[in-house]
Each structure stands twice: as C-alpha cells, then as structure tokens.
Amino acid sequence: MGVEETIAGTEAARVPPRREVSLLETAVHYAGERHWDVVPGTWLQATDGVQRCSCADVFCLAPGAHPAHPDWASQATGSAAVARRMWQRRPTASILLPTGRAFDALSVPECAGFLALARMERMELALGPVTHTPDRRMQFFVLPGAAVKVRGLVRRLGWPVSLLHLAPLGDGDYVVAPPTRFGSRGVAQWARRPAPANRWLPDAEELMAPLAYACGRGR
C-alpha cells in the first residue's frame, strides 16, 4: 500500500463526518471536563450574502478562526461557568485553546501528520488529542514545555529544523478547537478525540522521531 493510500485510509478512519455542534456547549465541555483554558475568537458574519470574518479584513487568512482582541490570552478562562457566559454573549465565536498552559502542541502539515499518526499507532505510543484544521495542519497535544526544546530534539535526530515545517505552539500561541469553522474552507475536527484514556499527555520527546521522519519524507 502506498503512502497516499495509507494517509487516506487513516484520515477516513480518524476524522468523523462533519455535523453541527454547539460552540457554546463544546467550549463549556473543554473548560469543565478537560480543564483547558478557552477563549472566544472571531466569528463569521454575513456581508452582502457572503460569510466574512468579524475582523473585517477581506483578505483574512483564517476567517472566523483567530483571536478577536490583542489581549486575547488574558481573557482565557478555565471556568465552565465563565465560558458559558462568554459564549452566551457571542454564540458563534470560534473556540481558541491557549497553549503553554495545560498543554503545548506540535503543528505539522496534514500529509505528515496522518503518516506520523499511523506510524505512532503501529508503535503503540501513548497519544494525546490531535486536531486537523482546514488550513491543512495537524496539532498533536503534548505536555507543556515542548516549545522550548523542540529545536534541540530535532537537531539531535539529525534533521534540519528549518526544512521540516514542524512548528511548536507554546506560551502566547493557541490551537483552534473543533468545531470552529474556517470561513467556507470547512471546520476544525479531531483526528484523535479527547477521551478519558488520553488525559495524560505524552512528552514531546516521545513523538519527535515519528513526527520528524514524516515531515522529512514530505519535503
């Protein structure tokens, strides 16, 4: 079986069919059940019959799926009650999960992400949640602190850091959480859903070899 078939098969198995889900209830669930900080981002609004980002930038690269304010990080909350009030005021706001708190994330191109995910499962590695976003990226959740040591880990494996398109997300960054919609491009989804079994996150070092290998093959 070729790499493309493997990736396609893994994607079909891991990405659930799209369905409408309440952003409010989902944000409350993330804060109350997963103990993740959440913050409302921008939202989509109809302008002349076209769904545009609330930021009013007609060239917005992530319409309805980025921070709404410069001080967005200070507004994040881990309280389910506060999250409910936030989304009651703006029910269509995107859900952003600040990194560098309960988790960091390793962001890779989707082709490399699905290849790495299949490899990790064959290796029976303990994995955390993994998102798949319409900007064709995947984010692997790992323990906080990953962002500061990724470059060293990649160099130790012998890969050129600048060529892998592997981006660590830590303090000051965020993950766009499902089921946030990216304009007309689709919705953020879980490639590997949050579940009781993956509350304990892996360290970045445990995932780095398969991720670097997959990113290197995709160059």
Side-chain angles (χ1 to χ4, degrees):
M1 182 181 292
V3 171
E4 292 79 8
E5 292 172 312
T6 300
I7 293 170
T10 304
E11 181 172 3
R14 292 295 165 189
V15 179
R18 189 175 69 194
R19 64 186 179 91
E20 294 300 321
V21 181
S22 164
L23 290 161
L24 184 156
E25 294 301 334
T26 305
V28 170
H29 173 80
Y30 291 153
E33 297 298 322
R34 297 299 295 198
H35 304 295
W36 292 341
D37 282 5
V38 297
V39 63
T42 52
W43 58 93
L44 295 172
Q45 52 192 17
T47 304
D48 298 326
V50 178
Q51 291 288 321
R52 299 193 186 280
C53 186
S54 61
C55 72
D57 181 356
V58 296
F59 301 109
C60 181
L61 297 178
H66 64 84
H69 306 286
D71 62 342
W72 63 272
S74 66
Q75 298 176 18
T77 180
S79 164
V82 174
R84 183 175 295 279
R85 290 197 294 271
M86 285 178 164
W87 268 270
Q88 283 175 335
R89 290 195 293 268
R90 180 61 65 180
T92 58
S94 53
I95 304 174
L96 308 182
L97 307 176
T99 49
R101 302 183 183 190
F103 60 87
D104 280 3
L106 304 176
S107 177
V108 299
E110 65 175 16
C111 182
F114 281 116
L115 181 63
L117 187 55
R119 187 178 179 88
M120 290 172 186
E121 290 178 341
R122 288 196 301 272
M123 297 168 65
E124 298 184 348
L125 292 180
L127 296 173
V130 182
T131 60
H132 178 217
T133 48
D135 57 357
R136 304 181 70 85
R137 302 284 296 185
M138 293 176 68
Q139 293 79 30
F140 289 72
F141 288 28
V142 294
L143 288 172
V148 300
K149 58 185 179 182
V150 162
R151 294 181 69 88
L153 291 173
V154 172
R155 286 200 191 96
R156 197 181 308 161
L157 291 168
W159 292 96
V161 179
S162 60
L163 299 180
L164 289 188
H165 303 293
L166 191 162
L169 304 176
D171 188 39
D173 298 314
Y174 61 89
V175 169
V176 180
T180 296
R181 178 171 292 279
F182 282 60
S184 61
R185 294 158 60 187
V187 296
Q189 302 183 66
W190 290 109
R192 189 177 180 90
R193 290 181 176 277
N198 60 25
R199 283 186 180 275
W200 298 102
L201 300 176
D203 188 272
E205 189 168 2
E206 299 173 55
L207 308 187
M208 191 53 58
L211 280 175
Y213 171 79
C215 288
R217 286 198 58 178
R219 286 192 295 123

